[in-house]
Amino acid sequence: MPEKAQKKPEEFGTGCPEGVIASEVSNNAVVGGSLVPAFTLGIPGNAVSAVLISGLMIHGIQPGPSLFADNSEIVYSFIFSLFIANIAFIPIGIFCAKYCVKLLQMPKEIMAALVIGLSVIGSYAVNGSMVEVWVMIAFGALDNFMKYFNLPREPLVLGLVLGTMAESELARALALVQGDIFRLTTGIMTSPICLIMIGLILYSVMHSLLKRRKAIKAAATKETLAEAV
């Protein structure tokens, strides 16, 4: 969308300030928007909100409609903190951006050591046990494995967060139908709300696959034209 409103759309992708600003603004804006389904439905919109939901559940707070009734102070604390943070971004960005950029010049070895050290300290501080540290190391190795084979990590994070919720809701649904799976399946397939949700899921999956196939086809056509020239 930003390149469509730009007078010189051909400059996008070359490092022009407008393109960099557009991508960074959208990247920051999605975090606040993802908290809406996270707080109201307990469904994370991205990895950031998934980690946030995990933190709330660790403290015994269940995101969802009941969150506003049982823990309204937490919700409004998030709302006001985001409001204050967005206002604070302006002076911080103006006066501190040029200094923060210098952090990118730090050698990767030093940055990696700092990140690993803080991760170990944070994992150990949860319960004062080395088990959490080994779990953190195992998931770090799994992340590198998935990254090496170009596997998406976001579904894994969402699965870990939503797994407990899905299991409890499935148990509740089976209890309502006395364990009759056929009755449960029939109820799902005859419910208009369930059918709409299933249709939206299928549409989202198909749209994503078609969009990816179209992008691959466009890239192949562009490469063929480049070779022909």
Side-chain angles (χ1 to χ4, degrees):
M1 178 62 85
E3 62 268 22
K4 294 181 180 180
Q6 177 69 8
K7 295 181 180 179
K8 297 180 180 179
E10 65 277 0
E11 295 182 357
F12 272 68
T14 61
C16 67
E18 292 82 358
V20 175
I21 292 173
S23 62
E24 290 303 314
V25 168
S26 60
N27 186 42
N28 293 333
V30 72
V31 177
S34 65
L35 295 180
V36 175
F39 285 154
T40 58
L41 301 175
I43 301 175
N46 57 6
V48 176
S49 57
V51 174
L52 179 60
I53 290 177
S54 300
L56 292 175
M57 294 177 67
I58 289 174
H59 292 282
I61 301 173
Q62 180 63 50
S66 61
L67 179 64
F68 291 83
D70 301 335
N71 304 98
S72 59
E73 67 281 358
I74 295 178
V75 178
Y76 288 107
S77 297
F78 275 107
I79 293 175
F80 284 112
S81 63
L82 286 173
F83 180 75
I84 296 173
N86 280 279
I87 296 177
F89 276 153
I90 299 175
I92 292 175
I94 293 174
F95 296 107
C96 301
K98 58 182 178 181
Y99 302 107
C100 294
V101 171
K102 294 184 178 180
L103 292 175
L104 300 176
Q105 300 175 359
M106 182 182 298
K108 294 183 179 180
E109 294 79 8
I110 298 177
M111 181 67 74
L114 290 174
V115 172
I116 293 174
L118 293 174
S119 300
V120 172
I121 293 172
S123 300
Y124 182 80
V126 175
N127 292 315
S129 172
M130 285 297 296
V131 176
E132 282 77 6
V133 177
W134 288 114
V135 171
M136 181 270 296
I137 295 174
F139 274 98
L142 178 62
D143 178 76
N144 287 326
F145 174 82
M146 298 178 70
K147 185 176 181 181
Y148 180 79
F149 288 99
N150 197 25
L151 299 174
R153 279 91 71 191
E154 290 80 4
L156 177 63
V157 176
L158 297 178
L160 290 173
V161 174
L162 298 178
T164 304
M165 187 186 306
E167 183 179 0
S168 61
E169 295 300 329
L170 177 60
R172 183 181 302 177
L174 289 173
L176 291 175
V177 296
Q178 289 80 39
D180 190 347
I181 299 179
F182 177 77
R183 182 181 171 187
L184 176 63
T185 306
T186 304
I188 293 175
M189 299 307 296
T190 55
S191 173
I193 297 178
C194 292
L195 292 176
I196 292 174
M197 295 298 296
I198 293 173
L200 290 175
I201 293 173
L202 293 176
Y203 171 78
S204 178
V205 173
M206 294 303 297
H207 179 72
S208 178
L209 293 175
L210 292 175
K211 188 176 180 180
R212 179 178 298 180
R213 181 177 297 180
K214 185 178 179 180
I216 295 174
K217 186 177 180 180
T221 303
K222 186 176 180 179
E223 184 178 353
T224 303
L225 293 176
E227 292 177 355
V229 174

